[in-house]
Amino acid sequence: KAGVTQTPRYLIKTRGQQVTLSCSPISGHRSVSWYQQTPGQGLQFLFEYFSETQRNKGNFPGRFSGRQFSNSRSEMNVSTLELGDSALYLCASSLVGYNEQFFGPGTRLTVL
Amino acid sequence: KNEVEQSPQNLTAQEGEFITINCSYSVGISALHWLQQHPGGGIVSLFMLSSGKKKHGRLIATINIQEKHSSLHITASHPRDSAVYICAVLSTDSWGKLQFGAGTQVVVTP
């Protein structure tokens, strides 16, 4: 069974731009969670989607948004990028949200 | 104060030594994960626990729900075990939201 995939793996953007990251969960998994990892703040929860609905949201500004499609694939969008948004963005999938989570390889975003 | 605390922050061991990493949490949980992250690498789920003990190869994880404490043990440590180990909890009624400890950097020398 294929694991969680994320695209792209690396991105370089400039301040003010916007970016869209994609996550394809393990087949059969309907829950997708997104996390941000930075050296200063560690791993922090962004949001979780299940059956195209956002069920849970972390403490991030509205510039961070996401969505989930009917095939469970998920995207997250960051608008008006700031230098502090430079981070590793990880998605994780699970069957329904309270099962074991399996992580993708992450997207490394650098904002210049 | 972080709701998930790990200790130690850093650990150096010689090959073959027994390693223990501890995790304490202050919230009600439905499950606890132990995760591994190699330098520059992604995150791998080692265990998910909701009670008792699990073993996988040289790794053993235990959890005491009453005491809100979990431990990860590495027996007969090997240099390839060098990584950051992260404890993460899934709070009760918190869909898909893991809360993470700060991680323990483990270095195993030959």
Side-chain angles (χ1 to χ4, degrees):
Chain A
K1 199 184 254 190
V4 179
T5 58
Q6 290 187 247
T7 56
R9 295 292 311 278
Y10 302 92
L11 264 179
I12 300 176
K13 293 285 187 179
T14 55
R15 275 181 300 176
Q17 288 187 308
Q18 76 164 20
V19 67
T20 299
L21 312 181
S22 181
C23 173
S24 292
I26 291 170
S27 178
H29 284 193
R30 295 166 61 193
S31 169
V32 174
S33 299
W34 287 90
Y35 301 95
Q36 181 197 63
Q37 185 178 35
T38 59
Q41 299 296 319
L43 279 155
Q44 293 183 284
F45 172 77
L46 281 155
F47 27 65
E48 187 259 3
Y49 286 88
F50 177 81
S51 290
E52 303 177 66
T53 300
Q54 186 184 88
R55 293 192 299 189
N56 209 344
K57 188 176 190 307
N59 190 24
F60 278 81
R63 300 185 298 107
F64 292 82
S65 63
R67 58 178 175 168
Q68 187 180 35
F69 302 95
S70 59
N71 62 357
S72 294
R73 190 177 70 86
S74 178
E75 289 181 346
M76 68 163 280
N77 184 277
V78 188
S79 62
T80 320
L81 284 165
E82 301 177 359
L83 295 178
D85 297 333
S86 294
L88 179 66
Y89 290 89
L90 293 151
C91 78
S93 77
S94 70
L95 282 169
V96 292
Y98 51 83
N99 316 94
E100 186 170 9
Q101 293 191 19
F102 296 88
F103 286 79
T107 295
R108 174 79 59 188
L109 172 65
T110 302
V111 182
L112 304 175
Chain B
K1 185 181 182 291
N2 196 354
E3 291 171 320
V4 183
E5 298 282 351
Q6 271 185 252
S7 63
Q9 281 186 296
N10 298 281
L11 187 159
T12 300
Q14 281 203 305
E15 184 172 357
E17 287 186 338
F18 184 85
I19 290 171
T20 295
I21 303 167
N22 295 300
C23 175
S24 296
Y25 52 91
S26 56
V27 296
I29 69 167
S30 57
L32 180 144
H33 287 60
W34 281 103
L35 309 169
Q36 180 193 57
Q37 187 172 33
H38 281 101
I43 290 177
V44 174
S45 176
L46 298 173
F47 296 102
M48 189 182 81
L49 292 162
S50 53
S51 64
K53 176 179 174 178
K54 285 191 176 180
K55 184 176 189 290
H56 183 220
R58 295 178 295 103
L59 302 177
I60 302 168
T62 63
I63 188 167
N64 185 318
I65 295 293
Q66 287 73 31
E67 294 187 4
K68 296 189 173 179
H69 181 270
S70 176
S71 293
L72 176 68
H73 307 286
I74 306 174
T75 63
S77 59
H78 189 276
R80 65 175 173 266
D81 296 326
S82 298
V84 176
Y85 293 83
I86 303 166
C87 169
V89 301
L90 192 62
S91 302
T92 309
D93 297 328
S94 186
W95 298 109
K97 175 185 175 182
L98 289 175
Q99 293 175 253
F100 300 88
T104 296
Q105 173 77 61
V106 171
V107 174
V108 182
T109 59

